[in-house]
Every structure is written in structure tokens, then in C-alpha cells.
Amino acid sequence: MCSRGSRRHRVRRCCCPSRCGRWSRCAAGSGLALNRRSPKTMRGYAYTALMLLRFLQARGLDLASASEVDIQDFRRWRLDEAEQTVGEAAWDRDAAAIGCLYGFLLRQGVVERRPWRATTRRQRTLASGTRRDLRVRHMELEQYLYCRDVGFGGLAPDGGLDQGFRGWRPHRNRAACELALLTGMRIQEWSTLLLPELGLLDGRRPRTADVELGACAKAGHHRSVYVPGDAMELLDPYLLLERPEIVAKAQGTLRRDHRDLFVITRLEADGAKVCGVLEGRTVTRPIRGMDSRLRRIAVRETGDGLDPLAVFIGAGGRMLTASGWDRVRWAAWERMKAAATGGVGPELPVLGISRSASHVRAAAADLFDPAGAR
């Protein structure tokens, strides 16, 4: 923050950083942590709280004495007058942070009310009110099968073998595409699935599965997802052909990284918990409570080597990241466009063809996140 200029357009650095730190730590640490907000969200909310405190202090005010006009002036400053202005989407995040901050202060008895007029959605009254396009592109069955088999699976448009296909792991990609569509799971949910969650252990595969999502679900809200038989069956070629080859090639890398991995020694509670060595300590973790970071380093000691616990893996035996799946779907969309340009295959979604590159890939992206929020 800068001390030059008028007080309305510039915000002086807070002369009491310890006080600002206490406010941000209380709001972010107590309220947000209890609501299971991610560390990234908590850090962003804390920065917003500090900016607001410094803005108010430059006016000789604090959180308790601020009025609705002051909060609206802060909004105007963030959007139009700061050295680095922000857009409506970034302001909506700031509005959520300010709402959480004042909600915490209300519960602690520091303030008697929020400084803005209350509605049925009090924490959203500061937001821009802009409704954002979820970029949903509806696909007909023929278009979806073309996307799955030609784009992700590397087949020719007539269903035959494409000799010119130079992609990697088409069976894995087709299985992921089918699983995303038939279950409605978001990319952070299906891409982080572990073998025990689908009952895929010791060569067994159940006809259907019920997955209990937890830490990797949207906002960490627990829910149960049914995986139908068609999605499970399409996993077979990948599990029998491609995955064993990936695991075998990755043994050298996995052994070198052994100390940095979560090495599972046994499963407990019918596969609902895992026990193993993490950072030199023997720990037990419920699978539902494992976040994506822990899932990515989880491997099982089989006696013949280390087997990654993740269902979908890539080079080095590690679970694919979101950017890795982005590359897969971008390549799939380019294959679909090339065939469609040659007059082969079904007509692709019009909005995907006629608009910018980010919208061109939206139809394929929606398969990897049916809710439109990646």
C-alpha cells in the first residue's frame, strides 16, 4: 500500500500490524478452519481482511465503527482506484471474506451488526451480483461416443484402428471419460479415486461400486456416489493392459522416492482405512479423509514392488494432476476437430467451434466436470 495522494484514493500502511494480524488470524484461523476452508482460501481471506483494516485506519476508523458507505468506498477503491484494480470475480471473493470476517466478529460480540443492510443472503450483499456462465455444452449421444472413442480413445471415426494415432494410454482416457459422465463426479473427485474405493484389489472387480467421497469432494462435503456397471466394465482394458505396464516401468522411480511416499502396509475396516509409513512414522488414515496430496503419494507394498493406490496414473506411477488431464482433453479435442474438418464424424457443438480457443475446448471440458466448476 502507498501513503501518497489523498486518503480516498490511497491507503497508508497500517501503523499497527500486530493488531491487523490478530484480526486476520482470528477470522481466518478460527472461523474458516472450522468451516474446512482450504489453506489457499484462508490466505486470500486474510489478505482481504488486512487491506480492509488498512483502508479503514487511513480514515481513522476500525471494523466496529465502519459504516456501509465506508465498505462501499472500499469496494470502489478495489475495483476502480487502487494501483492494481481487480475485476468483479475477484471482488466477489473479497466480499465473501468480509462477510466471513464480520460474521466472526458478530459471534464474538465485537460488533452488534454488520455495517451493511441485511437481506436473506447477508454475506452476498456486497458481491457484484454477476451470474457467471458455467460454459455447459450439451452433447448428443453420437457426439459423446465420438468424443470418447475418437478423441480420447484414438480410434478412427468409423470405429476402426487409427494407424496414425500417436497418443498415450487411450484405454485409461476412455475409462476416465466414461466414469466422469456416468457418475457426475467432478474432476477433483474421479481423478483422485483410489483402488480400494472401487473395490479394485487383488485382481477383483465388482460389477458396481458405491464411493464415499470426503476430502476430495466439492467443498469437502461428504456424499455417496454410485458407479454403474458400464463405467466399471470400461476400466477392464486399462487395468489389465495399460496400468500394469505403467507400474512396471515406474518401479525404479518409486523405489528412489520411497522415503517421500506414503507406503501402505495393510488395509483395515474392509478397505475403508489404510495403515502405512508416512515420513518415518506408522500412521492410520481413513481413505475418505485423505486429500489429493496424500493420495498422490500413496503406494501399496505388494511384495513384488510398489503399486500406486491411485486408479488413474501416468508416467512415474503418480496420479495425474489437473494440468495433466487438461493436456489429455486438449489433445482429444484437436483430434475431434481435425476429423470434423475433413467431413468425417458427427457435427460438433456449434458454440465450441465458432468461439475462442477457451470455448472451443469447453464441450470436452464439461465431460471432465459436469458441474462446470473445475
Side-chain angles (χ1 to χ4, degrees):
M1 300 297 180
C2 181
S3 60
R4 300 188 306 273
S6 66
R7 194 158 63 181
R8 178 180 178 185
H9 296 279
R10 303 287 184 184
V11 178
R12 295 195 301 267
R13 183 172 298 278
C14 178
C15 62
C16 185
S18 62
R19 182 183 179 188
C20 292
R22 284 197 299 272
W23 281 115
S24 61
R25 283 195 298 271
C26 285
S30 300
L32 297 179
L34 289 175
N35 289 331
R36 301 178 63 85
R37 300 293 177 91
S38 69
K40 181 179 179 180
T41 298
M42 293 170 64
R43 186 165 55 250
Y45 280 20
Y47 281 130
T48 298
L50 286 172
M51 282 190 290
L52 176 62
L53 284 162
R54 289 168 180 170
F55 182 90
L56 294 175
Q57 190 171 52
R59 297 183 163 205
L61 303 171
D62 56 21
L63 291 169
S65 60
S67 67
E68 183 173 7
V69 173
D70 297 313
I71 302 299
Q72 292 298 339
D73 285 347
F74 175 70
R75 175 182 181 275
R76 187 181 307 109
W77 176 78
R78 285 284 281 155
L79 291 173
D80 302 322
E81 301 173 1
E83 291 184 359
Q84 294 184 353
T85 58
V86 298
E88 296 287 359
W91 168 252
D92 285 351
R93 289 191 291 270
D94 287 346
I98 296 171
C100 286
L101 173 60
Y102 271 98
F104 173 79
L105 297 178
L106 272 173
R107 292 191 297 272
Q108 297 299 313
V110 178
V111 297
E112 296 181 357
R113 60 179 181 81
R114 292 177 173 86
W116 58 86
R117 284 164 291 182
T119 68
T120 55
R121 303 180 67 187
R122 288 177 294 179
Q123 289 192 7
R124 297 290 293 171
T125 54
L126 296 174
S128 64
T130 302
R131 298 188 63 180
R132 290 174 176 78
D133 180 17
L134 296 181
R135 300 192 304 170
V136 173
R137 304 291 181 266
H138 296 286
M139 302 179 73
E140 297 178 356
L141 178 60
E142 183 183 13
Q143 292 173 330
Y144 164 69
L145 294 177
Y146 179 73
C147 175
R148 185 195 70 183
D149 297 335
V150 176
F152 289 94
L155 298 179
D158 61 2
L161 183 65
D162 185 355
Q163 298 291 344
F165 178 65
R166 294 294 181 269
W168 201 68
R169 307 307 177 193
H171 293 305
R172 179 199 64 192
N173 300 341
R174 289 179 72 236
C177 190
E178 187 86 344
L179 186 66
L181 180 79
L182 296 186
T183 63
M185 285 190 283
R186 296 167 175 82
I187 185 171
Q188 77 268 19
E189 296 168 345
W190 61 257
S191 67
T192 58
L193 286 174
L194 302 183
L195 295 173
E197 292 180 297
L198 294 179
L200 302 174
L201 290 174
D202 304 323
R204 295 181 287 108
R205 179 187 67 77
R207 190 176 67 85
T208 62
D210 288 292
V211 180
E212 297 295 326
L213 297 176
C216 291
K218 181 180 180 181
H221 296 317
H222 293 187
R223 77 175 195 276
S224 179
V225 174
Y226 173 72
V227 183
D230 289 345
M232 296 292 289
E233 288 178 7
L234 207 59
L235 285 168
D236 286 344
Y238 163 62
L239 295 174
L240 295 175
L241 301 175
E242 293 180 349
R243 196 178 187 282
E245 180 184 358
I246 298 174
V247 173
K249 290 183 178 180
Q251 287 305 303
T253 302
L254 294 174
R255 287 298 181 188
R256 284 195 301 271
D257 298 339
H258 187 273
R259 292 186 177 181
D260 298 325
L261 301 176
F262 181 19
V263 183
I264 309 299
T265 54
R266 69 177 185 273
L267 300 174
E268 300 178 351
D270 295 328
K273 294 183 179 181
V274 293
C275 181
V277 179
L278 177 64
E279 298 177 347
R281 299 182 298 113
T282 299
V283 298
T284 300
R285 295 284 186 270
I287 288 182
R288 189 170 67 173
M290 293 171 60
D291 60 20
S292 58
R293 182 198 65 82
L294 190 56
R295 287 167 178 256
R296 193 166 189 265
I297 62 173
V299 296
R300 187 186 182 198
E301 181 63 73
T302 64
D304 297 325
L306 296 175
D307 185 8
L309 217 60
V311 176
F312 298 111
I313 56 176
R318 294 296 183 91
M319 183 176 71
L320 269 71
T321 61
S323 60
W325 283 113
D326 278 345
R327 290 190 291 271
V328 170
R329 64 181 176 84
W330 291 341
W333 184 256
E334 293 302 322
R335 277 181 51 80
M336 294 168 62
K337 282 204 304 177
T341 303
V344 183
E347 181 181 356
L348 299 182
V350 175
L351 288 175
I353 295 175
S354 62
R355 300 184 67 178
S356 64
S358 62
H359 287 82
V360 165
R361 294 187 288 263
D366 290 332
L367 287 173
F368 275 49
D369 192 347
R374 285 178 289 166

